[in-house]
Amino acid sequence: MSAWLDRLTQGLSRTREQLGGQLNVLLGRGPDVDEAFWSDLEDALIGADMGVTAVTEMVERLRDAAKRQALPDARAVLRHLAAEIAGELRLPDAADFIEASPSTVLVVGINGTGKTTTVGKLAKAAADAGRSVLIGSADTFRAAAVEQLHIWADRAGVPIVESERGTDPASVAFDAVRQAKANGTDLLLVDTAGRLHTSKDLMAELSKVKRIVERESDAPVRTLLVMDATTGQNGLTQAREFDSAVGIDAIALTKLDGTAKGGIAVAVVRDLGVPILRIGVGEGADDLKPFDPEEFAAALVGLE
Ligand SMILES: Nc1nc2c(ncn2[C@@H]2O[C@H](COP(=O)(O)OP(=O)(O)OP(=O)(O)O)[C@@H](O)[C@H]2O)c(=O)[nH]1
Ligand SMILES: [Mg+2]
């Protein structure tokens, strides 16, 4: 197993432990299970933050499969569950706009979810792939934000548009878009300050940033929500609020190397109807990976 997949698997251990009881019963008894078993499995999946509707539907389909005797052994049961979860996570028309050129990506989320780190990792990956990248630092709130981005920009060898602390983030974003246009930049990444989804003023500020960027950018503008996988259900509430304030096009799910409740991935994809494009499995430059529904589902249920 590769090092990063190992970290993902470890990070999801809490989810697996929770599911473990039910899965062990399943593995021990095979498909001959009773009503209580199915409702316990339902509870376990809901407990893993997958969301009630998604779980109800998935378990219903599993029960059908069991009835049709399509689950001959324990591994088949696990594979079936993983396939159901992967199916929930896969959106057929999910385009990876981060890979498109030109593309402008606005990176948003609550405090400390990993926005700046994700911008740095994305910049590095795109620059390594030979694309021209520009970083706009629209976090004019936190003193260390620009220095933090500088470290990443240096690592990636990409330029950065910044401004004084306390200035209007929309004006930095404006400058960054202008510069990206002038230089024919492939990928403009705009980092923003973390903010609570409950703060009206800060959400209004963010929607102003987005308006300005959309007005100025020739490249398609997409908004990437960076979500900390360890926050569980609260992450879902945040995601909804960000979506209604600025519109979310995709999600980067970070800190999956910690003890994450991985089921939140299922809930958020279903709830927002947007794809997860990247997952964060560590703090290093190479610790951001494209999201693979099958791989993720397998790690979640502990299928090797
Ligand atoms: N373990 C782990 N840590 C991560 C990951 N992504 C980010 N971090 C860490 O999380 C912390 C916060 O990351 P930042 O990138 O500063 O988060 P931010 O969203 O920009 O924070 P604010 O700008 O203050 O809102 C840092 O210590 C990062 O190294 C990840 O995938 N795994
Ligand atoms: Mg930041």
Side-chain angles (χ1 to χ4, degrees):
M1 195 184 279
S2 67
W4 81 266
L5 196 54
D6 197 35
R7 252 175 301 159
L8 172 65
T9 308
Q10 295 222 342
L12 293 174
S13 61
R14 187 166 142 214
T15 310
R16 270 196 315 279
E17 269 161 36
Q18 240 171 359
L19 290 177
Q22 294 318 306
L23 295 181
N24 285 338
V25 175
L26 205 56
L27 293 173
R29 295 168 68 181
D32 300 324
V33 289
D34 55 17
E35 275 308 309
F37 166 77
W38 290 113
S39 76
D40 286 353
L41 179 63
E42 244 174 27
D43 288 350
L45 292 170
I46 291 167
D49 280 346
M50 284 184 207
V52 177
T53 337
V55 167
T56 311
E57 290 179 20
M58 285 194 295
V59 170
E60 194 55 43
R61 287 192 295 263
L62 270 175
R63 291 176 71 139
D64 281 351
K67 252 185 245 148
R68 284 184 279 107
Q69 308 281 303
L71 306 176
D73 59 29
R75 279 192 71 77
V77 175
L78 267 190
R79 268 202 303 274
H80 211 91
L81 177 60
E84 285 294 341
I85 293 171
E88 288 288 328
L89 291 168
R90 200 184 312 108
L91 295 180
D93 52 356
D96 190 345
F97 54 79
I98 300 164
E99 297 296 328
S101 294
S103 183
T104 297
V105 180
L106 190 63
V107 179
V108 305
I110 72 152
N111 311 72
T113 54
K115 293 174 294 301
T116 304
T117 307
T118 299
V119 164
K121 290 169 176 174
L122 287 173
K124 175 88 167 50
D128 286 352
R131 301 168 72 203
S132 61
V133 183
L134 180 66
I135 295 175
S137 175
D139 182 350
T140 57
F141 182 72
R142 206 160 56 82
V146 176
E147 289 95 287
Q148 191 188 358
L149 261 184
H150 265 291
I151 295 170
W152 280 105
D154 288 347
R155 222 177 261 168
V158 309
I160 201 171
V161 174
E162 63 190 81
S163 82
E164 295 292 298
R165 189 174 165 217
T167 53
D168 184 356
S171 86
V172 195
F174 178 90
D175 291 345
V177 174
R178 281 289 169 94
Q179 187 168 319
K181 265 204 288 204
N183 298 350
T185 297
D186 291 327
L187 178 65
L188 168 61
L189 296 162
V190 181
D191 187 27
T192 63
R195 66 201 72 222
L196 276 178
H197 54 292
T198 47
S199 161
K200 273 210 165 77
D201 288 352
L202 292 179
M203 293 306 270
E205 178 195 86
L206 189 61
S207 94
K208 180 180 165 195
V209 171
K210 181 158 188 187
R211 265 198 321 277
I212 301 269
V213 169
E214 279 184 327
R215 199 175 66 209
E216 289 305 312
S217 180
D218 291 337
V221 176
R222 298 286 182 265
T223 303
L224 181 71
L225 176 76
V226 177
M227 205 174 137
D228 178 339
T230 62
T231 53
Q233 281 293 316
N234 192 35
L236 196 60
T237 314
Q238 297 160 16
R240 284 188 196 126
E241 292 297 326
F242 272 91
D243 190 42
S244 66
V246 289
I248 298 303
D249 298 295
I251 290 158
L253 195 60
T254 59
K255 309 191 192 182
L256 280 163
D257 53 312
T259 45
K261 279 216 207 172
I264 197 67
V266 171
V268 78
V269 166
R270 175 177 270 256
D271 211 70
L272 268 66
V274 300
I276 296 169
L277 288 184
R278 296 291 185 281
I279 56 172
V281 290
E283 301 186 85
D286 296 326
D287 296 330
L288 190 75
K289 303 289 174 189
F291 179 69
D292 180 328
E294 277 75 26
E295 209 166 57
F296 187 86
L300 200 64
V301 302
L303 202 67
E304 288 184 359

